[in-house]
């Protein structure tokens, strides 16, 4: 109920008539293997854990993992496109100096995912961060990188590659502040780029700023900035130090969740058309209060930082069934080179069917209240 009180304090109605917020729809994780507490990295707050969930280098022989999005292929396999850097780098510099785009595969959405190596090794030695994957309108597979690169798209006919550079994302300010799209007032790199293929066939980008960008002409754009930050009309919410937006479409509407990193609090917005009238739906989850990483046996992993959320929408049902998160066991500055700390990607099941039903009911109630 703490989340509900926070929502009411902001003068916003609860997400559902039952007083639930997004975090209440996360489900316990069924372990994909034995729960392990010895011989693996991590502080006691993340032990024991299922090392077969998601993607991790449990022995820390090589990699720290971050970012990612899951894409299902026509054969029913699950592909995770993400980033990694070598364990010989501390977290504070690894993601900037050694991060590369990688491809991992699993027969089950929860994992374990097997690292298959670099996605595009022929381009700048695989350099990439904020890496995500998606299926394009023509059926091809795309991988997108930003933050330490300008904002590039790589494509392949096969989820296993080879991936070739299609080009750099193009965009137009369209009367808005160009800094909404990229660093340095629009002259620098794009960041935190999440690309969504909309049901209407257009491509939609939500970058670090949480503005909405739409392309009518393919995945490379040009994208036009169509809105300011989704939280701009809510001055009671933090207006700075927000990052890591994720965007998805389910249940007939669009959703954005982003993270205010100083407070480790993520906020949830929804819109019917995915461009305008973004409405605040309350705290999505808060690290100090939300127990997202709970197993079916009651064990809870309390990761120190929970970032880069990404929703997986099942193509057949149209509902979110899982979220993935980038997590680290200690404060980032405490993860040093060749130590016993690291980051991984965790997959958490989500009751998207109930969530969408409840969201639709809220929208219907709002329409009734607004009608004369």
């Amino acid at each position: 109920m703490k989340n509900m009180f926070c929502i009411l304090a902001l003068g916003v109605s609860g997400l559902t008539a039952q007083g639930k917020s997004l975090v209440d729809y996360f489900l316990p994780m069924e372990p994909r293997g034995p729960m392990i507490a010895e011989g693996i990295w991590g502080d006691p707050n993340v032990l024991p854990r299922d090392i077969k969930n998601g993607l991790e280098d449990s022995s820390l022989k090589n990699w720290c993992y971050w970012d990612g999005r899951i894409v299902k292929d026509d054969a029913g396999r699950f592909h995770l496109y993400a980033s990694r850097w070598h364990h010989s780098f501390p977290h504070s510099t690894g993601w900037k100096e050694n991060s590369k785009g990688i491809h991992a595969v699993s027969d089950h959405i929860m994992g374990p995912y097997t690292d298959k190596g670099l996605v595009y090794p022929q381009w700048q030695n695989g350099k990439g961060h904020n890496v995500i994957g998606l299926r394009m309108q023509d059926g091809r597979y795309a991988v997108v990188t930003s933050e330490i690169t300008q904002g590039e798209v790589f494509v392949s006919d096969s989820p296993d590659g080879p991936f070739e550079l299609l080009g750099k994302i193009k965009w137009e300010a369209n009367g808005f502040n160009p800094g909404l799209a990229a660093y340095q007032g629009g002259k620098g790199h794009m960041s935190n780029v999440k690309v969504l293929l909309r049901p209407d066939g257009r491509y939609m980008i939500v970058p670090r700023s949480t503005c909405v960008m739409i392309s009518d002409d393919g995945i490379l754009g040009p994208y036009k900035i169509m809105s300011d930050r989704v939280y701009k009309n809510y001055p009671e919410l933090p207006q700075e130090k927000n990052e890591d937006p994720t965007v998805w479409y389910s249940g007939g509407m669009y959703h954005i969740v982003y993270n205010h990193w100083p407070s480790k609090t993520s906020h949830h917005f929804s819109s019917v058309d995915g461009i305008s009238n973004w409405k605040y739906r309350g705290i999505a989850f808060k690290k100090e209060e939300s127990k997202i990483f709970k197993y079916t046996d009651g064990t809870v992993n309390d990761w120190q930082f929970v970032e880069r959320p990404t929703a997986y929408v099942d193509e057949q049902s149209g509902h979110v069934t899982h979220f993935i998160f980038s997590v680290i066991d200690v404060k980032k500055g405490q993860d040093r080179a060749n130590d016993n700390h690291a980051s991984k990607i965790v997959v958490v099941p989500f009751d998207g069917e109930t969530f969408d039903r409840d969201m639709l009911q809220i929208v219907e109630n709002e329409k009734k209240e607004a009608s004369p």
Side-chain angles (χ1 to χ4, degrees):
M1 290 301 292
K2 290 182 179 179
N3 284 341
M4 183 59 180
F5 290 137
C6 292
I7 296 168
L8 291 175
L10 288 171
V12 182
S13 60
L15 174 62
T16 72
Q18 294 78 25
K20 296 166 68 177
S21 58
L22 189 138
V23 69
D24 297 306
Y25 296 89
F26 286 99
L27 301 172
M29 300 178 291
E30 181 71 40
R32 297 291 298 158
M35 298 290 286
I36 297 178
E38 297 181 357
I40 59 174
W41 59 267
D43 266 12
N45 50 296
V46 297
L47 300 173
R49 71 172 180 272
D50 176 18
I51 63 173
K52 294 184 179 296
N53 176 297
L55 177 62
E56 77 166 276
D57 183 352
S58 60
S59 64
L60 269 190
K61 292 181 179 179
N62 290 299
W63 311 117
C64 298
Y65 291 101
W66 205 252
D67 296 321
R69 182 191 278 167
I70 295 171
V71 181
K72 187 178 181 181
D73 69 17
D74 295 335
R77 295 185 307 159
F78 296 91
H79 300 262
L80 177 58
Y81 302 97
S83 67
R84 76 181 188 197
W85 56 87
H86 199 271
H87 181 50
S88 59
F89 287 80
H91 185 99
S92 58
T93 59
W95 72 268
K96 292 182 288 187
E97 299 176 5
N98 191 245
S99 185
K100 301 177 187 297
I102 63 99
H103 167 223
V105 183
S106 177
D107 292 326
H108 192 283
I109 190 169
M110 296 282 290
Y113 284 83
T114 301
D115 187 339
K116 295 294 186 178
L118 303 184
V119 183
Y120 41 86
Q122 76 285 0
W123 186 83
Q124 296 194 29
N125 196 29
K127 182 178 182 179
H129 198 63
N130 290 174
V131 176
I132 63 164
L134 71 151
R135 199 80 180 265
M136 295 171 61
Q137 190 177 28
D138 61 10
R140 288 184 296 169
Y141 297 82
V143 173
V144 183
T145 172
S146 60
E147 182 62 38
I148 66 171
T149 67
Q150 292 184 331
E152 291 80 10
V153 179
F154 299 82
V155 298
S156 174
D157 292 329
S158 166
D160 300 303
F163 282 84
E164 301 292 338
L165 177 65
L166 182 65
K168 186 175 69 173
I169 296 170
K170 300 179 290 292
W171 56 270
E172 300 172 0
N174 195 32
F176 288 88
N177 180 353
L180 293 170
Y183 289 135
Q184 300 173 12
K187 298 178 181 179
H189 293 178
M190 300 188 77
S191 174
N192 290 182
V193 169
K194 290 288 178 69
V195 183
L196 176 69
L197 176 57
R198 294 165 54 104
D200 60 13
R202 296 187 290 174
Y203 287 92
M204 173 175 173
I205 283 179
V206 178
R208 185 186 183 98
S209 70
T210 74
C211 77
V212 173
M213 306 170 66
I214 299 292
S215 168
D216 295 311
D217 193 26
I219 193 169
L220 286 182
Y223 290 81
K224 292 184 178 181
I225 301 177
M226 304 296 289
S227 76
D228 210 314
R229 297 169 174 85
V230 296
Y231 49 80
K232 185 175 181 179
N233 292 330
Y234 293 84
E236 63 271 37
L237 293 175
Q239 298 295 302
E240 297 179 342
K241 300 181 180 179
N242 296 307
E243 63 177 7
D244 288 353
T246 188
V247 57
W248 75 92
Y249 176 87
S250 66
M253 71 185 71
Y254 296 82
H255 300 269
I256 289 176
V257 169
Y258 67 87
N259 179 43
H260 178 247
W261 60 263
S263 64
K264 300 180 183 178
T265 303
S266 293
H267 299 279
H268 174 209
F269 282 77
S270 73
S271 167
V272 174
D273 66 8
I275 298 174
S276 60
N277 298 317
W278 286 94
K279 294 189 176 182
Y280 183 54
R281 301 302 181 185
I283 294 175
F285 39 85
K286 185 177 178 64
K287 191 270 171 185
E288 301 302 337
E289 300 174 3
S290 307
K291 304 303 179 184
I292 297 174
F293 308 102
K294 183 177 182 179
Y295 295 93
T296 50
D297 67 357
T299 300
V300 175
N301 289 157
D302 185 19
W303 295 96
Q304 182 63 232
F305 275 87
V306 179
E307 300 185 0
R308 307 293 292 151
T310 303
Y312 174 81
V313 179
D314 180 75
E315 290 184 355
Q316 292 185 335
S317 71
H319 302 300
V320 175
T321 61
H322 297 78
F323 272 78
I324 67 172
F325 297 92
S326 301
V327 296
I328 184 171
D329 64 317
V330 293
K331 294 180 179 180
K332 294 178 181 179
Q334 295 175 351
D335 176 19
R336 300 182 176 89
N338 300 311
D339 62 6
N340 195 46
H341 306 298
S343 57
K344 69 167 290 184
I345 298 169
V346 179
V347 184
V348 183
F350 184 82
D351 185 3
E353 182 175 0
T354 303
F355 170 79
D356 285 338
R357 184 187 65 224
D358 291 347
M359 281 299 309
L360 287 172
Q361 185 61 56
I362 285 200
V363 172
E364 289 300 317
N365 290 340
E366 290 173 345
K367 289 180 180 178
K368 291 178 182 178
E369 293 174 359
S371 62

